[in-house]
Amino acid sequence: MQLPPNSRFLLLKQLLLLAVVFTLAACSNTRYLQSNQSLYTSAKVVVKGDILNSEKQDIRSSLSSKSLMTQQPNKKLLNSRIKVWLYNQKYNEKKSNWFWNLVLSKRNLEEPVVYDSTKAKESVDRMTSYLHNQGFFYATVQYNEKTKRRKTSVTYEVNTGRNFVIDKITYAIPDTAILRLVKANEKLSLIQKGMAFKSATLGSERERLTRLIKDAGYYKFNRDAIEYSVDTLNKALFRNSLNPFEGLVNIFNENKGRDKLTMDVEIRIKNPEDSTSSWQPHHIGKIYVYPDFSLNGNPADSSLKKDDRKYINIRYHQEILRPKILSRSILLRPGETYSLQQYNNTVNKLYDLGIWQFVTLQYKEPKDSVNTLDAYLFLTPRRKQELGVSFEVSNSSDYTLGSGITLNYRHINLNKTATQLGMSINTGIELVKQETGWTLQSKQFGGEVSLTWPRFALPFHIKQSNRTNAKTRLTLGANYLSRIEKFDVTSFNASYGYDWNETLYKRWIVRPITINYVGVSLNPTFRDSVVNTNPYLKRSFEPALIGGESVSFIYSNQDLLHPRHYSYFRVNVEESGGWLSGINSLVNGISGKNTNLETATGVNISNFVKLEADYRHYWKLGIHSGLATRAYAGVGIPYSYSQVLPYVRQFTSGGPNSIRAWRLRTLGPGSFKDSSATAQAFPDQTGDMKLEGNVEYRFDLLRMFGGSINLKGATFLDMGNIWMIRKDPSRPGSEFQLSQLYHDLAMGTGAGLRLDFSYFLVRLDWGIPLKVPYFTGNKNGWYLSEWDLKSSRWRRENIIWNIAIGYPF
C-alpha cells in the first residue's frame, strides 16, 4: 500500500525531527563527567593464533559477551549514542514537556559508562579462563587502553596458540546394561577422536547421555552420575570437567613443540550413591486420565465418574472426548518401559488435538510395586466454540480507501471427536476519491467452510510415527470480485488433503484433490480497449477449470536450540489438468464423443505445472538487531492445449512484500514497461516465472508508552523480476533469456520504520530504485545517475511508500 501525498508530507516532517534528534545526540556526551573520568566508547577484540578464521570469529564473538567482557561501552545507533544523550536531557538538562515525556521513558535512557581499568583487568582473567576451558591452554590475553578527548577505547589482544585434540575415548561404566546402551549409541556421541577439545562439548555430551539413559527406562538416573577424566600424554589427570584447568597450565609444557597437542578422555558413569546396586529401569503401571480437570481440581474427588478401559483409567465429571479417541491419543501403554521421549510425544500429541488448554503429565511410584510408575494425565479443556470479527482499512496506489470485514466461527471438538469445524465470511470494498466525490471501484465477498480431522482419513491403514500429528482437511469456498466497469470474477474452490509433521523440523502438506472454477465476465468497453488488444491478457481472462494436486514441504528449525540463527525453507509443487483430463476423456468416450466436461461447462481445463521454492535465513546479531534474508524462485509451465497460466496462478512483482521500490504489479516482465494510460490506472503485469532475493537489516530504535510499543527500524536491498517463458510479441523483452538475466534484474533499496505492538506490527517502508531493467541510460540499467533527491517531482515519481501489516518475510 502507498501513502497519499498529504500523509507523506507529515511523515517527512516527523522523519526530519527524528534526524535532528540523532544529530544532536552525536554531540559530546562527556560534558557532565567529572574531571578524572572518561567515557567508555568502544571495545575491540583482536584474535591471533594457529586456528581457522571462522574459529577466530567465534572466539571474538564469545569474548565480547557481557559475561566475559564485564564492562560494556554505551551502544551506538546511526553513529550516535542517542540513549546517553537522552539520559542527559532528562537528568542534567531537566527537559520536561509533552514531547520529552513521550521520549524520555526509562527504556530509552542509558547512563554514561565511565571507564574502569579494574574491570578491564577482570575481563582479561575471565577471557583467559574461558580460553582454557576451550582447550587453548597456552592462550594469553592483554589489553591496551587509549584515551582521547575524555573518551576511552580498549583493545583486547588475544593469542590463542593451538588447542588440544582428543586422541582416545574410553568408558568406565560398572553397570553392564548401561555400558551396552552407551556403546550401542556411540556413533551419535558428541565427543569424537580428532576433534578439538572444548569443555562445553563435554557438557553437551553429558546431557545427551542423560537423555539416552532416561529414555531407556532409567527414571531415577541423575546427570551428576556422569564424570570425565582428561589425561594428556604425560598422564596428568583432571577430574572436574567444568573448570579443570585453573592454575594447571604448566602441566602441559611437555606437549609444547609437538605437531598436535593430544589428550585422552575417559567417560565414567557411577552407580547410585545411596545403594550398592545398579540403576534400575522402570515400567509404566496404570494410566489415569482426567480429561476435564480444572486448575484447582482434586484428583481424589469422590464425585468423579470412573471408566476403566483396556489401556487407560478415565476419571471425569463430563465426557470431553470419546474414550476410543482419547485412548488412541495417549501414547503410553501399561507394561512399557518408561521413556522420556514417549513422555514428550504424549504431551505434544494431546496438545495438538487443540481441545485442551493445559496438559500435565506426572509419574508416581505406587507403594505396592517396585520399579513401577503410574502415570497421571491432568487435562484442562478449552472453550469448544470461538467467534471472531476482524476489520481492515487500507490505502494503495490504485485506490484511495479500502475496507473489509471478516466474520469467523470455529468449533474445536465437533461431536466429541476433536474434529474442528471452521467457517468464515468476508466482504470488502475499494473507493476512489475524485473531484465529484467518492466512487466505488471494486467490491468483493466470499466465504469458506472447512473440516479438520486429527488423523489420516484414508480407506486403508497407514503406519505413522508418534510425532506425526497428522490432520486431514476438507475445504469448500466461494468468492466474488467485481472491478466496476472492468470485469467480474466468480470462483469456487474445494480441496482435500493431509498435513503432518515428519519430524520436529519437517512438515508436509499434501493435497491429492484440489479443484477451482474461475468464471470471468468482462465489461464490453474494457474487453475491447484493453483485453482484446493484448493476446496474453485475453487468454489470461478466459474462464478456467483448475483441478489437480499439490505437495508442499516445509523445513523450519526456529527453536531454543538455534538462538543465534535459523532457517526456513518451503518448496511447493502444483499440477493441474492431469486427472481432470482423464475424466474428460472418460466422459467423452462414454457419450460417444458427443460431450465432455469442457463442452458441458463451457470452460476449458487448465493444464500446467507450477513449482515454487522459498528459502529464508535469519541471524541474530545482538540483543537489539538482526539480519533477515530471502531467496525465492518460481516457474509455471502450461502444457497440452493450454497456452498460458490461469490468471490466478500467474506471478507478480513489486509491492510491500516484494521489491519495494516498485508498486504492486508494475514491474516486468523482463525489460518491458507498459507506459500506456491504461497501465497507469490498472497496473497488472504478470508472468510465468519469478526470481527474487531480499536482504534486510533490522534494529531496535525506541520504546514508547512504557514499553507497550516498540519503534524499530530497517534498511533493505531487494532484487528480482518476473518473466515470460514464451516470447510475447505485444511485450518485447518480456521473455526469459539467461544471457539477459543480469540486465533484467531490478534492484531497489530503502529504509523503514516498524511499530511493534507485540500482538501485531505496522510496517512503513520507502523504496528507491537502484537498477531499472527498462532504463536505457545505462546498458545494464543502473539508475544511480538519475537520482535527483532535490527535485520534489522526481521524489514523487521514484520514491515508493509502502504501508503493511507484519514483516515482508
Side-chain angles (χ1 to χ4, degrees):
M1 296 178 289
Q2 282 73 41
L3 293 176
N6 57 341
S7 297
R8 298 178 194 173
F9 180 72
L10 179 61
L11 185 61
L12 282 172
K13 289 176 62 179
Q14 295 171 344
L15 290 176
L16 182 60
L17 178 62
L18 188 63
V20 172
V21 171
F22 275 99
T23 301
L24 292 173
C27 299
S28 174
N29 285 310
T30 61
R31 184 183 309 168
Y32 303 102
L33 297 180
Q34 297 179 14
S35 58
N36 62 338
Q37 293 179 331
S38 63
L39 185 68
Y40 188 25
T41 57
S42 66
K44 182 180 179 182
V45 178
V46 179
V47 180
K48 298 180 181 179
D50 188 17
I51 57 176
L52 299 175
N53 288 331
S54 59
E55 292 179 299
K56 291 180 181 178
Q57 177 62 33
D58 292 339
I59 290 175
R60 189 180 300 113
S61 177
S62 299
L63 296 181
S64 300
S65 65
K66 292 182 179 180
S67 60
L68 300 180
M69 191 181 292
T70 57
Q71 189 175 34
Q72 297 282 329
N74 292 115
K75 294 186 179 298
K76 297 177 70 175
L77 178 62
L78 300 181
N79 203 35
S80 65
R81 299 174 186 87
I82 186 171
K83 290 191 175 185
V84 176
W85 182 78
L86 291 174
Y87 177 91
N88 287 329
Q89 298 307 304
K90 181 171 184 177
Y91 294 107
N92 293 302
E93 297 287 347
K94 308 297 183 181
K95 295 290 180 65
S96 178
N97 57 39
W98 70 269
F99 173 77
W100 292 111
N101 291 338
L102 174 65
V103 175
L104 298 179
S105 64
K106 287 186 177 181
R107 296 177 182 271
N108 295 334
L109 308 181
E110 194 172 277
E111 186 176 358
V113 177
V114 178
Y115 175 66
D116 186 348
S117 60
T118 60
K119 291 186 177 180
K121 295 176 182 178
E122 182 183 353
S123 297
V124 167
D125 294 337
R126 292 193 180 195
M127 291 178 182
T128 304
S129 178
Y130 170 81
L131 290 169
H132 289 171
N133 278 319
Q134 299 302 304
F136 297 101
F137 302 117
Y138 307 127
T140 60
V141 182
Q142 296 177 337
Y143 78 95
N144 296 314
E145 60 184 54
K146 182 179 180 181
T147 302
K148 185 178 181 181
R149 296 177 182 176
R150 302 183 67 188
K151 294 180 181 180
T152 300
S153 61
V154 176
T155 300
Y156 293 92
E157 297 178 353
V158 178
N159 193 327
T160 63
R162 290 178 295 168
N163 60 346
F164 276 71
V165 173
I166 296 175
D167 182 55
K168 185 178 180 182
I169 304 166
T170 57
Y171 297 92
I173 306 175
D175 190 316
T176 56
I178 292 182
L179 176 62
R180 286 194 301 269
L181 177 65
V182 171
K183 295 290 287 183
N185 292 271
E186 191 174 7
K187 291 183 179 180
L188 301 176
S189 175
L190 303 178
I191 305 174
Q192 299 290 340
K193 180 178 180 179
M195 69 184 302
F197 172 83
K198 296 181 185 296
S199 62
T201 306
L202 269 63
S204 299
E205 175 65 4
R206 174 187 276 118
E207 298 300 328
R208 186 193 74 86
L209 289 173
T210 301
R211 291 194 303 269
L212 174 69
I213 295 170
K214 290 180 74 71
D215 196 47
Y218 296 90
Y219 174 72
K220 293 185 176 181
F221 184 81
N222 194 309
R223 63 186 299 277
D224 294 335
I226 302 175
E227 293 181 346
Y228 296 98
S229 290
V230 179
D231 192 4
T232 66
L233 293 182
N234 63 0
K235 302 304 178 185
L237 191 65
F238 304 96
R239 301 180 183 277
N240 184 355
S241 68
L242 296 180
N243 190 10
F245 310 112
E246 186 176 352
L248 298 175
V249 177
N250 291 334
I251 298 178
F252 299 96
N253 284 337
E254 291 185 10
N255 279 295
K256 286 186 176 180
R258 301 180 188 267
D259 291 336
K260 285 188 178 182
L261 309 179
T262 61
M263 62 168 51
D264 298 340
V265 176
E266 183 181 71
I267 301 174
R268 298 178 176 180
I269 300 181
K270 302 181 297 181
N271 282 331
E273 295 180 356
D274 57 349
S275 174
T276 56
S277 63
S278 58
W279 298 100
Q280 296 297 319
H282 285 65
H283 295 80
I284 303 298
K286 294 182 179 181
I287 302 170
Y288 297 94
V289 186
Y290 298 79
D292 61 340
F293 194 78
S294 63
L295 293 178
N296 57 352
N298 180 12
D301 188 349
S302 59
S303 64
L304 289 169
K305 301 176 185 178
K306 297 182 179 181
D307 185 1
D308 295 331
R309 298 273 169 162
K310 180 179 180 181
Y311 298 120
I312 62 176
N313 303 279
I314 307 174
R315 303 290 183 263
Y316 66 100
H317 288 290
Q318 61 178 346
E319 188 177 80
I320 299 296
L321 191 66
R322 292 182 182 180
K324 181 179 179 181
I325 299 175
L326 181 61
S327 178
R328 188 172 59 208
S329 302
I330 296 172
L331 306 179
L332 304 176
R333 290 293 180 260
E336 290 183 347
T337 303
Y338 162 81
S339 168
L340 182 61
Q341 186 62 56
Q342 200 72 326
Y343 168 95
N344 294 327
N345 291 340
T346 297
V347 172
N348 291 337
K349 181 81 171 180
L350 290 169
Y351 265 125
D352 194 64
L353 289 178
I355 65 176
W356 284 292
Q357 186 175 9
F358 301 107
V359 176
T360 303
L361 173 55
Q362 298 178 357
Y363 290 104
K364 297 180 181 180
E365 294 184 86
K367 297 180 180 180
D368 57 349
S369 183
V370 180
N371 299 331
T372 300
L373 298 171
D374 288 343
Y376 291 81
L377 276 158
F378 303 105
L379 313 176
T380 304
R382 296 171 55 190
R383 288 185 177 182
K384 290 193 295 185
Q385 301 183 68
E386 299 173 352
L387 185 65
V389 180
S390 62
F391 299 89
E392 179 182 353
V393 178
S394 59
N395 171 269
S396 182
S397 58
D398 59 342
Y399 62 85
T400 307
L401 178 65
S403 63
I405 180 173
T406 302
L407 178 65
N408 296 291
Y409 168 79
R410 188 166 69 134
H411 194 300
I412 65 172
N413 189 16
L414 200 64
N415 202 26
K416 300 179 182 179
T417 60
T419 300
Q420 295 187 10
L421 169 67
M423 293 188 292
S424 67
I425 300 174
N426 62 83
T427 183
I429 59 173
E430 294 175 2
L431 300 173
V432 178
K433 181 71 177 295
Q434 298 178 344
E435 294 181 358
T436 58
W438 292 91
T439 302
L440 180 64
Q441 177 173 277
S442 70
K443 56 185 177 181
Q444 176 265 337
F445 58 85
E448 184 178 272
V449 178
S450 65
L451 280 172
T452 304
W453 295 273
R455 64 186 183 281
F456 280 118
L458 291 167
F460 53 86
H461 177 71
I462 181 172
K463 186 178 180 181
Q464 55 182 299
S465 70
N466 294 334
R467 296 185 183 182
T468 299
N469 294 334
K471 287 182 172 62
T472 302
R473 287 190 173 92
L474 171 65
T475 304
L476 303 172
N479 191 73
Y480 171 77
L481 171 65
S482 176
R483 283 264 189 174
I484 307 302
E485 298 181 353
K486 290 186 175 69
F487 59 82
D488 295 341
V489 176
T490 303
S491 64
F492 299 93
N493 62 81
S495 68
Y496 182 84
Y498 310 98
D499 183 344
W500 74 94
N501 297 323
E502 179 186 347
T503 66
L504 184 63
Y505 300 144
K506 299 177 182 178
R507 179 185 174 196
W508 290 88
I509 303 174
V510 177
R511 301 286 182 265
I513 300 175
T514 63
I515 189 164
N516 189 5
Y517 164 80
V518 181
V520 181
S521 176
L522 299 175
N523 177 277
T525 303
F526 178 73
R527 179 191 59 204
D528 296 336
S529 61
V530 178
V531 178
N532 288 346
T533 60
N534 187 328
Y536 178 82
L537 197 59
K538 181 179 179 180
R539 290 192 297 266
S540 298
F541 272 110
E542 292 176 351
L545 186 61
I546 305 170
E549 58 287 326
S550 67
V551 177
S552 295
F553 170 76
I554 300 172
Y555 174 88
S556 177
N557 63 348
Q558 182 182 6
D559 58 12
L560 295 176
L561 299 177
H562 301 83
R564 295 179 60 184
H565 64 92
Y566 59 93
S567 299
Y568 170 90
F569 176 68
R570 184 179 189 273
V571 60
N572 181 75
V573 181
E574 179 185 7
E575 189 278 334
S576 173
W579 56 265
L580 267 181
S581 297
I583 295 176
N584 193 53
S585 299
L586 182 62
V587 173
N588 192 48
I590 293 175
S591 65
K593 299 184 179 181
N594 291 325
T595 186
N596 55 41
L597 287 180
E598 292 181 319
T599 58
T601 60
V603 179
N604 293 327
I605 295 174
S606 292
N607 293 271
F608 66 87
V609 176
K610 185 177 180 181
L611 297 92
E612 298 174 272
D614 186 349
Y615 176 76
R616 308 173 189 182
H617 198 87
Y618 303 86
W619 285 271
K620 189 174 182 181
L621 302 180
I623 300 177
H624 302 289
S625 63
L627 188 68
T629 61
R630 174 176 66 177
Y632 174 90
V635 62
I637 304 174
Y639 70 91
S640 187
Y641 297 106
S642 297
Q643 299 297 313
V644 299
L645 291 176
Y647 180 75
V648 294
R649 292 296 192 271
Q650 293 167 8
F651 297 96
T652 63
S653 191
N657 296 317
S658 182
I659 303 178
R660 284 160 278 186
W662 278 263
R663 293 183 176 90
L664 181 64
R665 297 177 178 268
T666 59
L667 177 61
S671 60
F672 173 76
K673 177 177 175 57
D674 190 351
S675 56
S676 64
T678 302
Q680 298 299 318
F682 183 65
D684 197 36
Q685 296 304 319
T686 60
D688 302 328
M689 177 180 175
K690 180 177 180 178
L691 295 175
E692 187 169 308
N694 314 84
V695 179
E696 183 168 285
Y697 174 65
R698 300 167 180 171
F699 50 89
D700 294 343
L701 287 174
L702 298 172
R703 291 178 179 266
M704 300 182 295
F705 302 105
S708 60
I709 301 177
N710 295 331
L711 178 63
K712 301 182 178 182
T715 59
F716 56 83
L717 176 67
D718 303 326
M719 65 183 72
N721 206 338
I722 57 173
W723 290 268
M724 300 299 301
I725 295 296
R726 298 185 177 94
K727 190 172 183 178
D728 185 354
S730 65
R731 295 189 288 180
S734 62
E735 71 276 9
F736 177 79
Q737 299 182 53
L738 187 60
S739 60
Q740 290 293 107
L741 176 60
Y742 176 71
H743 176 273
D744 288 351
L745 283 176
M747 295 181 63
T749 186
L753 294 174
R754 289 92 167 89
L755 283 175
D756 189 350
F757 294 86
S758 298
Y759 49 93
F760 78 99
L761 179 139
V762 178
R763 172 168 53 92
L764 176 65
D765 291 324
W766 64 267
I768 184 170
L770 288 172
K771 186 173 176 293
V772 180
Y774 47 81
F775 175 57
T776 58
N778 182 286
K779 67 176 182 178
N780 287 320
W782 286 102
Y783 199 63
L784 291 171
S785 61
E786 298 298 304
W787 280 21
D788 187 7
L789 297 175
K790 296 180 180 179
S791 170
S792 60
R793 180 179 178 181
W794 188 93
R795 294 196 303 268
R796 186 167 57 252
E797 294 176 352
N798 291 273
I799 297 180
I800 306 300
W801 294 85
N802 300 279
I803 185 169
I805 303 297
Y807 286 109
F809 54 91

